[in-house]
Amino acid sequence: MAIGVLALLGFQLVDSAFIARLGTAPLAAQSFTFPLSFLIIGVQVGMGIAIAALISRALGAGEQARARRLGSLVLMLGAGVIALLTLALWALQGPVFAALGADASARELIRGYWAPQLLAAWLGAALYFGYSLFRAHGNTRLPGTMMVVTSLVNLVLDPLLIFGVGPWEGLGLPGAAWATTLAFGVGLAVLGRRLWQTDWLAGSGLAEELKASARPFAGIAGPAMVSQLMPPLAAMLAIAVVASLGEAQVAAWGLASRLETLSLMVVLAMTMSLPPWLGRCYGAGDWAQVHRLMRLALRVIVAWQLALGLAMAVAAPWVAQALAGNPEVRDDLALLIRFLLPSYAALGVCMIVVSAGNALGWPLRAMLMSGARLFAFYLPCLALGAWLGGLLGLAVGAAVGNLLAGVAAWLVLRRILASPRRRPAAEPA
């Protein structure tokens, strides 16, 4: 699963690296779309968390028929919700991008890119819901494999559609979105065929299941979705702060955002693969296993992210050189890497705690923790740093905000797991 997430996030970074070769303006234009793309991802991840939690709990309790009904419902409802959201984002693109700080020339570049990007987002969401169904049934190999396949397809198509081949000059910035659209389309076709061969879906009893499961689904998906929508909102506010520093800084921030998701690949893989196991333990009442899983997950995350962050900080000039073409963008990106990447060890702790909270029946606490991370720690520190010291202050402030959020999440987790009803049962002699 981690390899699949690495491939999926890697092609997003490759997209930005190719676009950087078109110039600073196209890269900055793409960077303005990131918060809205994260908004779509936030909705789909929130629904995916509920999918995995409810289906894994049903399987843990031996309710196979209910798990099949839930699988059919969430696939249909999820695709419909994301379709409505993408249509709304298309209709509101003008005022939204203007509010984010994009000038007229940037909005003109965005206009040709936004339609295929929204189509790619819808296909990616449908693919993600399919992945969630497979993960809930304990199959993480197929989703991981398909992430690699779609990434390779995108990698082949990116340079062809962006820069062209032979006498054809390519599509420029929109070519990156069309490459992603085609790659996700291939993945959805393969995943749909494999899903058809399983017995994980039901065609009857859906209306009754919808009535019975609407409240528990909303109880998990609602707070989880709010938790997942907070990062896009924070990203919108952050990009507005960065936009005041200049176009090159926006471009560097966009590349750093792509690099952030890639560097957090182990954390993201764990937030997708850990909840189904925790959900099964929750359904079976096995709190001893919950404690063991959480201890192991946190140790792996802190060790991995800290080692990766320090290595990337040392290699920052070379990494920035490989990703950015413009010297000003390159230098700004290297500065961001040095301060942000090591702080992701603490950010990873917070992300794992939030993900576990949704799987273990703490959706409200998970939502509050996610909100505190962004609006009590990250954004205030980032804005204060930018006001005091430009891009350098912004990078330091963001790193401090991540550190504070990680410490707070760890303290919250210790308190919750120490409560009497969450204590593990005594181990057999």
Side-chain angles (χ1 to χ4, degrees), residues 71-349:
S72 297
L73 282 174
V74 295
L75 289 181
M76 293 186 294
L77 293 176
V81 169
I82 298 300
L84 292 175
L85 179 58
T86 55
L87 289 173
L89 291 176
W90 167 255
L92 298 173
Q93 62 177 297
V96 170
F97 287 122
L100 292 179
D103 57 22
S105 60
R107 293 198 298 274
E108 183 62 31
L109 286 171
I110 291 170
R111 190 170 294 112
Y113 172 78
W114 196 225
Q117 178 61 20
L118 287 174
L119 177 58
W122 183 80
L123 291 173
L127 199 54
Y128 179 84
F129 294 139
Y131 292 160
S132 297
L133 188 57
F134 274 84
R135 290 197 305 271
H137 283 269
N139 185 337
T140 59
R141 177 173 296 180
L142 181 64
T145 301
M146 290 311 304
M147 289 178 186
V148 174
V149 170
T150 54
S151 300
L152 291 175
V153 173
N154 184 85
L155 182 62
V156 171
L157 293 177
D158 251 345
L160 298 178
L161 297 183
I162 294 174
F163 304 112
V165 58
W168 183 52
E169 296 182 354
L171 301 173
L173 179 59
W178 282 115
T180 304
T181 298
L182 294 173
F184 283 162
V186 170
L188 195 58
V190 174
L191 194 74
R193 183 174 179 272
R194 289 295 300 273
L195 191 58
W196 185 260
Q197 298 170 350
T198 70
D199 62 345
W200 296 345
L201 301 177
S204 61
L206 300 184
E208 293 79 4
E209 186 61 46
L210 180 60
K211 293 178 182 178
S213 299
R215 180 170 294 180
F217 181 83
I220 299 173
M225 207 175 296
V226 172
S227 297
Q228 295 297 324
L229 290 177
M230 289 179 189
L233 176 58
M236 292 178 192
L237 297 173
I239 199 72
V241 172
V242 178
S244 65
L245 301 177
E247 184 178 73
Q249 286 70 35
V250 171
W253 184 260
L255 283 172
S257 298
R258 289 301 202 200
L259 191 59
E260 173 185 322
T261 53
L262 179 62
S263 67
L264 288 168
M265 56 117 181
V266 173
V267 179
L268 294 170
M270 203 169 289
T271 61
M272 289 187 283
S273 58
L274 187 61
W277 292 104
L278 292 175
R280 292 195 178 200
C281 294
Y282 180 95
D286 188 357
W287 293 103
Q289 183 67 3
V290 168
H291 281 241
R292 287 192 290 268
L293 286 171
M294 289 304 299
R295 283 197 298 268
L296 177 62
L298 292 177
R299 287 172 184 169
V300 169
I301 288 306
V302 171
W304 168 258
Q305 291 300 147
L306 194 56
L308 178 63
L310 293 175
M312 291 289 286
V314 172
W318 297 279
V319 175
Q321 176 66 39
L323 294 177
N326 183 290
E328 187 178 0
V329 175
R330 180 192 62 210
D331 294 342
D332 288 342
L333 178 59
L335 174 65
L336 292 171
I337 291 172
R338 289 191 185 98
F339 286 95
L340 293 180
L341 269 293
S343 75
Y344 294 157
L347 175 59
V349 170

Side-chain angles (χ1 to χ4, degrees), residues 7-55:
L8 182 64
L9 299 176
F11 92 64
Q12 295 176 348
L13 183 61
V14 168
D15 272 357
S16 295
F18 279 128
I19 291 170
R21 279 12 186 208
L22 295 174
T24 302
L27 181 58
Q30 188 203 32
S31 299
F32 279 114
T33 68
F34 289 165
L36 298 185
S37 296
F38 293 156
L39 176 67
I40 299 171
I41 293 172
V43 173
Q44 77 184 42
V45 170
M47 298 186 72
I49 288 170
I51 293 169
L54 287 182
I55 295 178

